[in-house]
Amino acid sequence: MKEYIKLDEWKIIEEGLVPSNNRISESIFSIGNGFMGQRANFEEYYSGETLQGTYIGGVYYPDKTRVGWWKNGYPEYFAKIINATNWIGINVAVEGELFDLNHCEVEEFTRELNMHDGVLSRKAIATLPNGKKIKLTSRRFVSLIEKDLGAIEFTVVPMNFSGSIELVPYLNGDVVNSDSNYDEKFWIEIGKKAGQEFSYVHNKTKKTGFDVCTAMKWQLSVNGNNVECEFTLHEDVSYVANKLIVEAKQNEPITLNKYVTVESSLYNKSEELVTVAEKRLNELFSKGFNRLLDEHSQTWHKKWEESDIRIGGDLSAQQAIRFNIFQLYQTYTGENENLNIGPKGFTGEKYGGVTYWDTEAYCLPFYMRTADAHVARNLLKYRYNHLKKAQENAQMLGFNHGAALYPMVTINGEECHNEWEITFEEIHRNGAIAYAIYNYIQYTGDELYMAEYGLEVLIGISRFWSQRVNWSEAKQKYVLLGVTGPNEYENNVNNNWYTLKLINWTLNYTMEQVEKLSATGQFDQIAAKTRFDKGAELDKWKDVVDNLYFPEDKSRNIFLQQDGFLDKDLTPARELPASERPIHQNWSWDRILRSCYIKQADVLQGLYMFEKDYDEETIKRNFDFYEPLTVHESSLSPCIHSIIASKIGYHDKAYEMYLRTARLDLNDINNDTEDGLHITSMGGTWMSIVEGFAGLRMHDNTLSLAPSIPNQWEFYEFRIVFRGIKLDIRVEKGNVLINNLSDKEMRVRLHDEIHQIDPGSSASISTGMQEIIS
């Protein structure tokens, strides 16, 4: 754990340049707008530890799979949102010497991310080996309103001299991915131009053929006045630059404003990209840096009005939740149904920037409760658009009749994960997608989605489930063999309880929806399209549901994670030496697989999702057994434990787990933030407050709250949207204040009592709730 980030309610602040922390900070201070993103690399040359990263949503490369032992059904590639043209570059030379913070005497260094305005800034005062001292400041943003724009204000002040300063704004498309399987470059140059008014690099991805044109224009000023200067043009492979030479005076600031547009063939014709880039660049350049920044910041202010969470009395928790919300909206805005949410978003290369089941399980709840309805709908529609590919994936593994197995990892609907224990066995991902349909419709009331898209997906998944189980003569039950649950520290197990629960629930839910739409005449078209044999298929599904095996331990009265789990040494995780944590970085894989230690919620994931099926004592018994064995080495683990702990009254544990999920990256808790942020788990952080502490649920088509409040907090306040009604909910010790910000009346259940709140009105409700988390 590293705790070098300064506490501030709206800012992320780093003071002092510690080279060993730089890659971590590059992740933490990343910026993006849902269409593209940029790690917090320095604009100028830096020879120290760095991972340069510029990423464009939807632009990927199918990196050929690299495995030692090929198995039938393996995907041929791993899709990656690849490193793209580095647009931020501005090199600096002072009196002929290249400025490099790694070889300077650094007197002062600050990096700051203003989350309220969406701006990354930096300040450094440093002396070069030649004795020249300069002050460097920069501000940059990726526009939330102009999706193709990145802009930088870069200022250099000579502090102890007058003399020559060279600034080199450049674009470099000759980039690599550090995780390339064969050390291959993924781009080929189509064209480039270094010009006085307009420079660009036009590259195309190999194999996939995505065209991207990155263009730049700049403006130089000295002491606040625009100036002309001597410059030269430079070109190289996928590289263009303008070298500017300024005769600087001591203490006079030299400012370079750099404007960049990034245009891709996802939204424009390839042959028109350069023209579009130049036109857009001229339009944006004419507005100037400050106006563009103001428009961008105003857009962020509106986002915060919709989704901010305020916490009183706990600065660490306040900073953390805003950081999580900020990164979620930097990664996905819901404007394009072909884009999704990668586990690292636009902050690093790990996981390839592609889609996992994390989206449905951890991100959908955030977007469907804070954003316009189309945002969450587009997340679901992404999976509907990939249904045919999911059916092809299942067919390749030997399933038939329209069975659908959604990929563990994808960008275009095809499976691209190449570890057999995940690709073939971690099939619970299907259930997360099915549950997301239910979760979305239940909350939003968008019943049309089921007939338009949802039921086709459910039928495909249910067909897969009914074929994936098999009848056991020994048990006289249907069983599920050779799977991996959410706990990836167990592979190739039999009868994973969580996956069995998903099978049971999905089949029941699909049958219910078939009957419901049949009664309204909406099912006929779906039946014809899916070639659904209603009698035979429903009979089969019902037989599976009625005869499905679930492992349990009757002596402890708990559900077993899988067959044979109790054969393990059940030494609690708290007894592990600190020097051996995290175990995935210190133990052999063989030792991990034989251990009882749980990477993330498995049985408890099922109890979280289906809590209505179990009484509180059942949930508590299972929590008491499994949580002490959980090492929380998945970023997705703490949030689920926090939510359940809140429900069952374990308030100390709920707060502990909340801080762990909320500050996971800010404090580098899992020792891997340098690879990129854990974006999808950030949705879980939001859930920890809204579903955990506030106890938000749906009961009988009514929004329900069962709030608690940590002792460390004076209050917390959040906003949600429920079926078009905007609510502001403030929880204090002993009181809940609910403001109806809409023009419709709202009914809210608070601790089993219904309260009606008129349009534009508020209700202050005494709860008798005191300090319950010590």
Side-chain angles (χ1 to χ4, degrees):
M1 181 184 293
K2 300 177 179 67
E3 297 183 271
Y4 66 88
I5 299 297
K6 305 301 178 184
L7 295 182
D8 185 279
E9 64 176 351
W10 277 112
K11 296 176 181 178
I12 308 300
I13 303 168
E14 174 188 20
E15 295 179 349
L17 179 59
V18 179
S20 60
N21 289 341
N22 189 53
R23 280 184 49 155
I24 298 170
S25 295
E26 288 177 341
S27 298
I28 291 173
F29 291 82
S30 294
I31 56 175
N33 64 6
F35 284 73
M36 63 178 178
Q38 174 68 48
R39 282 173 62 85
N41 311 114
F42 299 156
E43 289 87 358
E44 75 280 3
Y45 176 77
Y46 182 68
S47 63
E49 278 292 313
T50 183
L51 176 64
Q52 194 278 323
T54 302
Y55 310 103
I56 303 169
V59 176
Y60 69 95
Y61 178 81
D63 202 8
K64 185 178 178 182
T65 298
R66 188 168 193 164
V67 294
W69 181 17
W70 191 271
K71 297 174 179 63
N72 289 333
Y74 258 173
E76 295 183 358
Y77 66 90
F78 188 94
K80 295 173 179 176
I81 301 291
I82 53 177
N83 196 9
T85 297
N86 177 12
W87 61 270
I88 66 171
I90 305 173
N91 282 340
V92 180
V94 179
E95 293 284 284
E97 182 164 0
L98 184 65
F99 179 74
D100 175 4
L101 281 171
N102 198 44
H103 290 106
C104 289
E105 182 182 331
V106 181
E107 181 179 317
E108 182 179 339
F109 178 90
T110 305
R111 186 161 20 193
E112 178 180 294
L113 180 61
N114 183 325
M115 298 180 288
H116 189 254
D117 295 341
V119 182
L120 171 64
S121 60
R122 185 166 56 100
K123 175 184 177 182
I125 297 177
T127 302
L128 284 78
N130 63 12
K132 307 300 182 184
K133 180 191 289 190
I134 66 170
K135 178 171 74 174
L136 182 154
T137 60
S138 69
R139 293 190 297 167
R140 78 171 181 246
F141 65 95
V142 176
S143 177
L144 203 59
I145 189 169
E146 307 285 359
K147 300 298 186 179
D148 52 354
L149 170 69
I152 304 170
E153 179 189 75
F154 189 85
T155 300
V156 177
V157 180
M159 300 189 71
N160 65 351
F161 71 98
S162 296
S164 172
I165 293 181
E166 180 182 286
L167 299 176
V168 184
Y170 67 86
L171 303 172
N172 183 12
D174 188 27
V175 293
V176 297
N177 267 54
S178 65
D179 66 348
S180 171
N181 286 340
Y182 296 90
D183 298 322
E184 179 184 11
K185 291 184 178 180
F186 300 144
W187 297 92
I188 55 174
E189 180 188 303
I190 300 299
K192 63 176 180 285
K193 174 188 175 183
Q196 179 177 354
E197 298 291 329
F198 173 69
S199 300
Y200 73 88
V201 171
H202 179 185
N203 280 353
K204 182 190 288 286
T205 59
K206 298 176 181 178
K207 297 183 182 179
T208 45
F210 294 107
D211 284 79
V212 175
C213 179
T214 305
M216 75 170 177
K217 193 168 184 173
W218 51 266
Q219 176 71 60
L220 186 70
S221 65
V222 176
N223 216 18
N225 300 308
N226 292 343
V227 298
E228 302 292 332
C229 71
E230 176 187 347
F231 69 92
T232 56
L233 305 176
H234 296 266
E235 295 182 357
D236 206 332
V237 178
S238 296
Y239 175 90
V240 295
N242 295 176
K243 182 184 291 186
L244 321 179
I245 300 176
V246 182
E247 289 303 319
K249 294 181 181 179
Q250 185 174 347
N251 294 324
E252 278 194 354
I254 303 166
T255 298
L256 178 73
N257 287 341
K258 181 178 180 182
Y259 305 86
V260 173
T261 56
V262 180
E263 312 296 344
S264 82
S265 55
L266 290 171
Y267 307 102
N268 302 279
K269 294 180 180 178
S270 297
E271 62 272 18
E272 297 176 357
L273 285 181
V274 176
T275 302
V276 170
E278 184 171 19
K279 179 182 178 183
R280 286 287 292 154
L281 198 53
N282 288 333
E283 291 172 356
L284 297 167
F285 181 84
S286 67
K287 290 186 175 184
F289 183 88
N290 288 330
R291 181 180 169 189
L292 291 169
L293 174 57
D294 182 64
E295 292 174 351
H296 161 74
S297 296
Q298 290 299 321
T299 306
W300 263 115
H301 298 168
K302 292 176 183 177
K303 286 285 185 190
W304 286 116
E305 287 177 12
E306 298 169 352
S307 59
D308 187 25
I309 292 182
R310 297 176 59 222
I311 297 173
D314 189 340
L315 193 55
S316 177
Q318 176 67 87
Q319 180 188 51
I321 187 58
R322 283 181 171 149
F323 178 70
N324 282 251
I325 293 170
F326 180 74
Q327 292 296 346
L328 282 165
Y329 272 119
Q330 287 203 131
T331 304
Y332 184 77
T333 58
E335 296 166 55
N336 186 336
E337 66 186 39
N338 295 313
L339 298 182
N340 207 275
I341 305 165
K344 297 292 184 186
F346 299 120
T347 69
E349 297 177 10
K350 193 173 181 181
Y351 302 122
V354 290
T355 304
Y356 287 65
W357 66 283
D358 308 18
T359 293
E360 285 77 20
Y362 300 92
C363 297
L364 179 73
F366 168 76
Y367 290 103
M368 76 181 183
R369 292 173 180 149
T370 64
D372 290 339
H374 77 277
V375 175
R377 204 176 210 261
N378 278 347
L379 277 179
L380 292 183
K381 192 137 180 266
Y382 177 89
R383 296 296 192 177
Y384 175 80
N385 292 340
H386 290 170
L387 176 57
K388 186 176 180 181
K389 291 289 187 182
Q391 291 168 331
E392 291 172 0
N393 186 44
Q395 186 175 23
M396 185 166 56
L397 299 183
F399 300 91
N400 54 46
H401 191 51
L405 175 60
Y406 277 91
M408 185 67 183
V409 177
T410 193
I411 195 168
N412 60 4
E414 296 177 340
E415 177 66 78
C416 62
H417 197 284
N418 49 36
E419 294 174 276
W420 66 269
E421 66 274 17
I422 307 299
T423 307
F424 303 145
E425 297 194 343
E426 202 165 337
I427 56 176
H428 66 83
R429 67 227 191 205
N430 254 11
I433 293 165
Y435 185 83
I437 296 170
Y438 159 80
N439 202 14
Y440 167 78
I441 293 174
Q442 177 195 225
Y443 186 82
T444 64
D446 183 6
E447 297 286 348
L448 287 175
Y449 187 83
M450 182 61 72
E452 291 176 349
Y453 307 111
L455 189 51
E456 285 183 53
V457 172
L458 291 173
I459 288 171
I461 291 173
S462 293
R463 284 170 166 170
F464 174 80
W465 286 144
S466 67
Q467 295 175 46
R468 183 59 172 81
V469 297
N470 64 273
W471 181 256
S472 166
E473 286 294 335
K475 287 184 170 62
Q476 288 293 293
K477 293 281 187 180
Y478 286 100
V479 295
L480 183 68
L481 308 180
V483 296
T484 297
N487 173 26
E488 293 171 339
Y489 290 175
E490 299 269 12
N491 300 150
N492 199 35
V493 302
N494 292 335
N495 296 309
N496 172 257
W497 184 90
Y498 170 67
T499 310
L500 287 162
K501 180 65 182 178
L502 287 171
I503 292 172
N504 180 278
W505 177 87
T506 305
L507 292 174
N508 270 321
Y509 183 55
T510 307
M511 289 190 288
E512 174 189 310
Q513 295 306 311
V514 167
E515 296 294 358
K516 183 177 179 179
L517 294 189
S518 294
T520 61
Q522 295 173 285
F523 184 63
D524 292 346
Q525 187 175 352
I526 298 171
K529 186 175 181 180
T530 59
R531 298 180 181 180
F532 193 78
D533 185 337
K534 187 175 178 183
E537 294 198 62
L538 292 188
D539 285 348
K540 171 65 175 178
W541 296 353
K542 189 174 186 308
D543 186 47
V544 173
V545 166
D546 291 343
N547 295 283
L548 195 59
Y549 168 76
F550 287 92
E552 60 181 326
D553 175 33
K554 293 184 178 179
S555 64
R556 291 179 175 86
N557 205 8
I558 61 169
F559 307 123
L560 285 184
Q561 184 174 281
Q562 73 264 348
D563 286 349
F565 186 81
L566 295 181
D567 293 334
K568 296 173 177 287
D569 176 357
L570 300 178
T571 301
R574 65 176 176 271
E575 296 184 21
L576 290 171
S579 61
E580 297 183 13
R581 305 285 293 272
I583 62 172
H584 76 273
Q585 294 179 4
N586 291 284
W587 285 16
S588 69
W589 195 244
D590 168 74
R591 187 179 178 188
I592 290 173
L593 291 177
R594 289 185 288 106
S595 79
C596 68
Y597 299 119
I598 300 170
K599 182 182 179 185
Q600 69 189 80
D602 199 307
V603 169
L604 297 183
Q605 181 78 31
L607 293 177
Y608 155 73
M609 292 168 67
F610 304 109
E611 65 174 33
K612 292 179 183 179
D613 295 346
Y614 305 100
D615 60 39
E616 191 168 306
E617 285 304 311
T618 298
I619 296 172
K620 187 177 291 187
R621 281 194 305 274
N622 282 274
F623 188 93
D624 290 345
F625 180 76
Y626 285 109
E627 197 283 328
L629 304 177
T630 304
V631 289
H632 302 293
E633 291 179 10
S634 165
S635 64
L636 304 174
S637 184
C639 61
I640 298 300
H641 287 82
S642 180
I643 294 167
I644 296 177
S646 287
K647 178 179 175 58
I648 61 178
Y650 289 2
H651 302 298
D652 289 338
K653 178 59 70 173
Y655 183 70
E656 173 197 339
M657 289 290 102
Y658 165 74
L659 281 184
R660 182 175 179 124
T661 184
R663 300 199 65 86
L664 181 73
D665 289 311
L666 290 175
N667 292 355
D668 193 23
I669 289 174
N670 282 357
N671 195 33
D672 60 359
T673 302
E674 66 177 28
D675 297 326
L677 304 178
H678 298 84
I679 299 297
T680 47
S681 76
M682 292 177 174
T685 301
W686 184 90
M687 289 159 56
S688 297
I689 293 179
V690 176
E691 295 185 13
F693 298 138
L696 186 143
R697 301 288 191 277
M698 285 288 295
H699 290 303
D700 300 325
N701 222 30
T702 301
L703 200 67
S704 174
L705 296 169
S708 60
I709 183 169
N711 182 48
Q712 292 86 343
W713 298 1
E714 298 166 2
F715 70 89
Y716 60 98
E717 184 175 358
F718 60 93
R719 288 190 173 184
I720 57 171
V721 180
F722 176 69
R723 301 185 180 181
I725 300 174
K726 294 183 179 180
L727 299 175
D728 183 279
I729 300 170
R730 180 184 174 99
V731 179
E732 303 168 345
K733 293 180 172 73
N735 191 67
V736 175
L737 180 64
I738 304 175
N739 282 300
N740 184 347
L741 305 176
S742 301
D743 57 2
K744 301 176 184 177
E745 69 177 25
M746 179 69 190
R747 295 169 74 247
V748 177
R749 183 191 301 271
L750 184 65
H751 291 305
D752 296 325
E753 184 176 339
I754 298 292
H755 300 268
Q756 182 169 307
I757 308 168
D758 293 331
S761 299
S762 63
S764 182
I765 306 163
S766 177
T767 63
M769 178 176 50
Q770 299 301 319
E771 299 178 357
I772 58 173
I773 302 183
S774 59

